[in-house]
Amino acid sequence: PPAPAIFSSLARAGLEGAARSAAMLRSAVLARAGFARQSITQPRFRTFRTSRPSQAAEAAPKGDGISVEVAYSGVWGQITTFPKRRPFLTNIFVATVKTSFADFIVQKAEGHDIDWKRNAVFTAFGFAYLGVAQWFIYVSLFTRLCPNAIRFSNLSWAEKLKDRAGQIDLLKQTAYDNFIHYTFVYYPVFYMFKEAIQAGGAG
């Protein structure tokens, strides 16, 4: 063929190839843009979803920081979760039983017959003061005087080391307990019960 026809064919083929390359490039750019929009609008790591929710997605236990709402099933579950669900009643039960049992052990160690009247006084002291009154002092009153106390007690050791406000409230509670509560409340009440026991035994 003549030279002009050859050059014309080559030019036409070059233009068609350039057009195809431009179309492919345009398609690639649009696809990339669409993927970017999808990544923005949709959550990442969709392939890692499981049927069981992760711990981070679980709701925090409900409660006031002292009592906690926990799920349980059966009688055994109700028993094992009772201290978390009913800490006040648990405190009364433990204080009453351990005070009565402590006096029982002391009386047995003394080698005498059990004085149930004396044991009843210690039981009443454990119930009324250690179970009820000290709950008011340590939980109701101290948490007002030291507002960071409950939050601080629920932290891990690593978090407690960084919590300056909680550490200050811990020192305040220690000072209130040793220099005010025990000095002006606990020991007077204790010796009143002790005097009642000794006076009853002397009578």
Side-chain angles (χ1 to χ4, degrees):
I6 294 174
F7 290 135
S8 176
S9 299
L10 292 175
R12 187 165 51 251
L15 291 175
E16 290 177 355
R20 284 195 298 269
S21 298
M24 293 175 61
L25 180 61
R26 182 172 178 274
S27 299
V29 170
L30 291 177
R32 181 64 178 174
F35 177 78
R37 285 195 299 270
Q38 185 180 10
S39 299
I40 295 173
T41 57
Q42 295 183 0
R44 299 179 64 184
F45 306 113
R46 293 174 59 89
T47 56
F48 290 92
R49 287 185 176 181
T50 61
S51 59
R52 185 179 62 183
S54 62
Q55 291 183 351
E58 294 178 356
K62 296 181 180 180
D64 56 5
I66 302 172
S67 61
V68 181
E69 296 181 9
V70 292
Y72 62 89
S73 61
V75 176
W76 181 248
Q78 186 175 8
I79 294 173
T80 56
T81 60
F82 186 83
K84 291 183 178 181
R85 296 183 291 106
R86 298 291 185 271
F88 177 60
L89 296 179
T90 302
N91 182 70
I92 293 177
F93 175 78
V94 172
T96 304
V97 172
K98 66 97 175 175
T99 309
S100 175
F101 189 61
D103 177 67
F104 178 84
I105 293 176
V106 170
Q107 291 195 51
K108 293 293 288 185
E110 291 174 348
H112 304 300
D113 294 335
I114 301 299
D115 183 352
W116 293 109
K117 181 178 180 181
R118 163 181 159 172
N119 187 264
V121 174
F122 273 96
T123 303
F125 177 75
F127 171 82
Y129 188 79
L130 301 181
V132 178
Q134 282 196 345
W135 178 275
F136 168 76
I137 293 171
Y138 287 127
V139 177
S140 301
L141 181 60
F142 273 30
T143 51
R144 291 180 179 271
L145 297 174
C146 308
N148 298 299
I150 295 178
R151 179 187 58 78
F152 184 76
S153 65
N154 290 323
L155 296 177
S156 64
W157 280 104
E159 293 172 329
K160 286 178 180 178
L161 294 175
K162 302 176 183 178
D163 190 345
R164 184 173 180 81
Q167 295 171 8
I168 293 174
D169 274 2
L170 176 62
L171 295 176
K172 287 166 59 178
Q173 288 182 95
T174 304
Y176 291 150
D177 197 26
N178 287 279
F179 300 113
I180 298 178
H181 169 227
Y182 269 91
T183 304
F184 299 105
V185 182
Y186 181 91
Y187 282 119
V189 173
F190 173 78
Y191 283 112
M192 286 172 59
F193 274 84
K194 181 180 179 182
E195 182 63 24
I197 296 171
Q198 291 177 343

